[in-house]
Amino acid sequence: AAVRRQADCSAGTFGSIGWHFEHQTLERRLPALRLPAVLVLGADSPIPPGHGIATAALIPGARYTIEPDCGHFAWVERPGSVRKALTSICP
């Protein structure tokens, strides 16, 4: 039963992501965001860092950092990387 729920959640999540891509939700709404944003990207993530860089470009004033030799979950794979990224712009 738990595996089935997980599959249903994954299907729902990816369905939602697909809908938002189709309707260009991020492209339309991120430029209106008015708060500090820092993206911590893993150089070896299955989602290429270029996607995060493009996302940061949509947010006024956003910054990003790319963690070398790191996958998608920088906060797990490289503990301290998120704190380092935040303190580098907000000392």
Side-chain angles (χ1 to χ4, degrees):
V3 171
R4 178 70 186 146
R5 280 193 304 273
Q6 182 179 5
D8 290 344
C9 286
S10 291
T13 297
F14 285 108
S16 175
I17 290 169
W19 185 92
H20 285 286
F21 275 123
E22 182 180 329
H23 291 88
Q24 299 179 320
T25 305
L26 291 176
E27 290 90 341
R28 289 185 298 105
R29 295 190 178 172
L30 285 180
L33 196 60
R34 298 292 182 255
L35 54 92
V38 179
L39 285 75
V40 180
L41 311 168
D44 300 327
S45 174
I47 300 172
H51 293 289
I53 294 167
T55 298
L58 293 170
I59 303 169
R63 297 185 185 189
Y64 66 89
T65 183
I66 299 175
E67 286 293 319
D69 301 317
C70 190
H72 188 66
F73 301 103
W75 60 94
V76 174
E77 298 172 47
R78 184 81 33 82
S81 61
V82 174
R83 177 186 295 263
K84 179 180 157 191
L86 293 174
T87 57
S88 71
I89 65 156
C90 304

